[in-house]
Amino acid sequence: MCNMSVEFAGLSFKNPVITASGTFGSGIEFSEFVDLNRLGGVVTKGVAVTPWEGNPTPRIAETYGGMLNAIGLQNPGMDVFLSRDLPFLENYDTVKIVNVCGKSKEEYIEAVKRLAESSADMLEINISCPNVKEGGIAFGQNPLMVEDITASIKKVAKQPVVMKLSPNVTDITETARAAEAGGADGISLINTLTGMKIDINRKTFALANKTGGLSGPCIKPVAVRMVWQAANAVKIPVIGMGGIASFEDALEFIMAGATLVSVGTANFRNPHVTEEIVEGIEDYLERNNISDIRELIGIVNR
Amino acid sequence: MTGRRKVSAQIRENGPIADGIYSMWLKSDEISATAKAGQFISIYTKDSSRLLPRPISICETDPKEGTVRLVYRVSGEGTRQFSLYGENDTAEILGPLGNGYCLSELNKAAKGRALTVVGGGIGIPPMLGLVKAYRENYPEAEINAVLGYRNSDTFLDEDFKKYSKVFYASDDGSIGIRGNVIDAIRHFGIESGVICACGPKPMLKGIKKYGEETDTVSYVSLEEKMACGIGACLACVCKTKETDSHSMVNNRRVCKDGPVFKSDEIEL
């Protein structure tokens, strides 16, 4: 039996496969299709202090090998999240990672404070959503703001803090280093790439929000490159994501330097995909006589 | 809890029944045995460059054969690929999904008066399963079907006639009255205790308004762009009158809380 477990920010994960925020809810719906106990962790859909309505529909559009979304971080707010979603995940043996969003620094801090006494094991801070007017990406594209908000959150957070970075920047290493300088315990990337689709029959934007975040297999090469660049720029561990749909994809990210991998859009094509990726990595290790998954993290640099 | 699976289903029949409209029978004992009228299935293309499932409403089931029928319009590359599937091909499917109609609730709402189903274009197929199930449960019930087509190139209407009276409306007047389904309801003087409708949004708005004006309970089946199809991604929401207890905002999930809604609970 090969070792599949990894350490990340002082937490132990039974395997490196976790979900990507916004694609998996809080696991309630997917638990009919996936044994959540098989996953390294579940990353919940972004939650804010108060409920958010999100954007008008259509909120998604399919593109070649991917999709655009502009959900707009609809969420039920912290009260319901703490009384319904998080207790649901407590029934499973998996690491609970809560994705946090806000429209201002104060809102992020308030949300992180509300989570302090909760059963959340780790926080992922969404400073990279391209689909909301306030907060989101506005914080994630400026290294100074990334460092500032990271430091402010770290002051109040009781759990390890992972900053989720935007690929919509000129140099990913700048925002990665800024998160590290602010005291982040880890970084996760990439969030979606801002894109657009025009519906030529309706002669207008396919999404009500005009622009949306591109995800899916089509973004994977960009994501692998950025994860590799970021992992080489910082000493804190990295969660890699962007178009992972198979165990082979997951291994690319791990070899590029990611300790954990998030699976997102692929859940829509195959609701069982996360478990299948865990099994696929186990088989790969077995077949290749690799006794420990940790040997593969960042192996391309060795 | 865990245990629901996406499955590979064998195709028993697949072919055109009108211009651009196809009928597909799939073998799935589970879906055939459990599906309710108004539910849908997610069907996936073989080509993963089209990665999202296509949500298609269940037209009818044949529990004896363990089969389920989808009637769909070829409207893009995904459905074009489905239209090429032959007998003994397989399709990846997930379902049944969504809430579907509760027959006893409809019967109660009808208060001994007629059930009228209204279908517009590709909204017609799920109404067939509904009239069929309602007829089986309530053999004496009065059932009307008001079907709106573009022209006389109709589909499924002969199937409806086995279970209900059929009234036609068409855009060009080549069959039934020239006009929309609301015009047909008025023209033919159709009286109903409860109305169930599926079709384009302007038609559903019309039905909601008609229901309010005539004090008739109405239900609508909504369509929206979906990603996961199981209630997790929040892509396919509709607006609600009251704050929804799940979302805590005025949104409900079409795929999970619907696609069938009582029309006084939602904003169209």
Side-chain angles (χ1 to χ4, degrees):
Chain A
M1 211 27 209
C2 314
N3 173 54
M4 281 283 281
S5 70
V6 294
E7 300 284 316
F8 187 102
L11 295 168
S12 180
F13 289 72
K14 68 176 73 164
N15 64 60
V17 180
I18 64 177
T19 62
S21 180
T23 63
F24 209 75
S26 293
I28 297 170
E29 295 81 13
F30 270 96
S31 66
E32 284 189 65
F33 304 96
V34 179
D35 179 2
L36 303 181
N37 297 302
R38 289 284 288 143
L39 307 184
V42 170
V43 183
T44 60
K45 178 161 173 62
V47 63
V49 179
T50 55
W52 288 11
E53 193 97 6
N55 289 327
T57 58
R59 290 176 167 187
I60 59 147
E62 192 178 62
T63 60
Y64 197 91
M67 65 179 284
L68 290 164
N69 91 78
I71 308 292
L73 295 175
Q74 180 187 324
N75 77 86
M78 195 60 81
D79 289 343
V80 163
F81 182 80
L82 291 173
S83 64
R84 177 185 68 196
D85 296 51
L86 211 44
F88 168 81
L89 282 175
E90 287 164 17
N91 298 318
Y92 295 91
D93 177 22
T94 192
V95 179
K96 301 177 289 297
I97 303 152
V98 176
N99 184 285
V100 176
C101 50
K103 288 176 177 155
S104 64
K105 188 159 95 177
E106 291 67 35
E107 282 191 24
Y108 281 103
I109 289 170
E110 175 65 18
V112 168
K113 279 185 181 165
R114 294 282 313 272
L115 286 159
E117 304 305 321
S118 76
S119 64
D121 299 307
M122 187 159 88
L123 309 180
E124 181 183 61
I125 311 299
N126 182 358
I127 50 165
S128 43
C129 178
N131 302 321
V132 292
K133 285 194 182 67
E134 304 154 294
I137 203 166
F139 289 100
Q141 287 179 322
N142 178 336
L144 292 175
M145 285 176 83
V146 172
E147 183 174 343
D148 177 59
I149 197 157
T150 306
S152 305
I153 286 169
K154 274 300 289 177
K155 268 185 213 143
V156 296
K158 293 281 195 291
Q159 291 95 345
V161 171
V162 175
M163 301 305 285
K164 186 165 182 179
L165 304 182
S166 173
N168 302 301
V169 292
T170 311
D171 182 357
I172 192 71
T173 63
E174 284 186 7
T175 42
R177 284 199 194 92
E180 185 176 45
D185 299 284
I187 51 174
S188 60
L189 70 160
I190 62 173
N191 204 323
T192 54
L193 289 151
T194 308
M196 180 181 281
K197 179 178 179 174
I198 310 281
D199 180 333
I200 61 162
N201 295 312
R202 293 191 299 124
K203 300 183 185 67
T204 186
F205 307 99
L207 298 173
N209 190 54
K210 299 187 179 81
T211 60
L214 182 65
S215 64
C218 62
I219 70 166
K220 196 192 71 180
V222 176
V224 173
R225 183 264 295 177
M226 286 193 160
V227 164
W228 176 75
Q229 286 179 317
N232 288 333
V234 296
K235 293 190 176 63
I236 51 177
V238 175
I239 303 176
M241 76 191 86
I244 297 175
S246 66
F247 80 88
E248 291 97 332
D249 297 338
L251 285 169
E252 281 195 53
F253 281 85
I254 291 168
M255 292 184 189
T259 301
L260 296 169
V261 288
S262 281
V263 181
T265 299
N267 289 302
F268 303 154
R269 182 158 180 89
N270 175 6
H272 316 294
V273 73
T274 43
E275 258 190 282
E276 290 172 12
I277 290 173
V278 173
E279 285 158 19
I281 297 175
E282 283 170 348
D283 290 347
Y284 174 89
L285 296 182
E286 202 86 40
R287 274 199 316 277
N288 291 280
N289 292 316
I290 300 162
S291 61
D292 193 331
I293 182 76
R294 290 173 297 184
E295 290 173 30
L296 297 179
I297 300 170
I299 198 168
V300 292
N301 290 327
R302 291 204 281 271
Chain B
M1 289 291 287
T2 319
R4 291 195 73 185
R5 300 292 304 174
K6 175 181 168 186
V7 295
S8 186
Q10 193 190 57
I11 289 155
R12 288 290 175 84
E13 259 182 67
N14 186 33
I17 56 170
D19 184 28
I21 308 288
Y22 283 71
S23 168
M24 180 190 285
W25 281 95
L26 290 154
K27 173 73 177 166
S28 168
D29 291 309
E30 198 195 335
I31 295 176
S32 185
T34 60
K36 289 193 284 180
Q39 288 188 301
F40 67 96
I41 67 171
S42 273
I43 173 164
Y44 302 78
T45 62
K46 293 190 202 305
D47 161 19
S48 62
S49 69
R50 313 267 163 192
L51 58 89
L52 298 177
R54 271 58 180 162
I56 299 182
S57 62
I58 294 168
C59 174
E60 60 175 322
T61 57
D62 184 344
K64 270 193 211 128
E65 291 287 317
T67 53
V68 53
R69 185 186 196 186
L70 306 179
V71 170
Y72 57 100
R73 169 172 282 149
V74 173
S75 59
E77 180 54 25
T79 43
R80 193 190 67 83
Q81 289 181 17
F82 300 151
S83 74
L84 301 176
Y85 290 175
E87 246 173 86
N88 298 323
D89 240 326
T90 57
E92 299 270 304
I93 58 171
L94 183 71
L97 301 172
N99 61 354
Y101 283 99
C102 174
L103 299 176
S104 58
E105 188 183 310
L106 293 181
N107 188 248
K108 207 173 150 206
K111 294 196 181 112
R113 300 171 72 199
L115 164 71
T116 298
V117 303
V118 180
I122 204 59
I124 290 171
M127 294 294 110
L128 177 62
L130 178 57
V131 295
K132 189 176 170 184
Y134 200 76
R135 176 58 71 216
E136 277 164 16
N137 275 259
Y138 305 103
E140 306 300 323
E142 190 189 337
I143 312 177
N144 306 307
V146 182
L147 309 179
Y149 296 96
R150 286 174 183 166
N151 51 41
S152 59
D153 185 20
T154 62
F155 53 92
L156 297 177
D157 44 329
E158 293 306 318
D159 298 86
F160 275 90
K161 286 174 185 168
K162 290 185 247 173
Y163 314 106
S164 67
K165 280 189 237 164
V166 172
F167 302 90
Y168 295 91
S170 58
D171 294 344
D172 66 356
S174 58
I175 186 162
I177 66 129
R178 181 193 191 114
N180 62 34
V181 290
I182 310 279
D183 300 330
I185 290 172
R186 296 195 200 277
H187 176 86
F188 295 110
I190 299 166
E191 294 193 352
S192 325
V194 60
I195 299 179
C196 299
C198 184
K201 204 169 241 182
M203 179 193 119
L204 299 183
K205 278 185 186 172
I207 291 292
K208 179 174 156 73
K209 189 161 165 259
Y210 174 84
E212 285 160 6
E213 283 166 8
T214 58
D215 212 16
T216 312
V217 178
S218 67
Y219 293 81
V220 292
S221 296
L222 298 188
E223 188 179 42
E224 189 52 72
K225 292 276 183 205
M226 294 180 185
C228 72
I230 60 172
C233 74
L234 308 184
C236 63
V237 295
C238 64
K239 287 282 153 208
T240 56
K241 266 213 176 87
E242 311 289 331
T243 301
D244 174 56
S245 61
H246 181 268
S247 71
M248 302 310 290
V249 291
N250 290 38
N251 286 340
R252 295 189 84 190
R253 301 165 294 180
V254 172
C255 68
K256 181 83 176 178
D257 306 317
V260 177
F261 294 95
K262 212 157 168 267
S263 58
D264 60 6
E265 291 171 1
I266 55 163
E267 309 276 359
L268 284 169

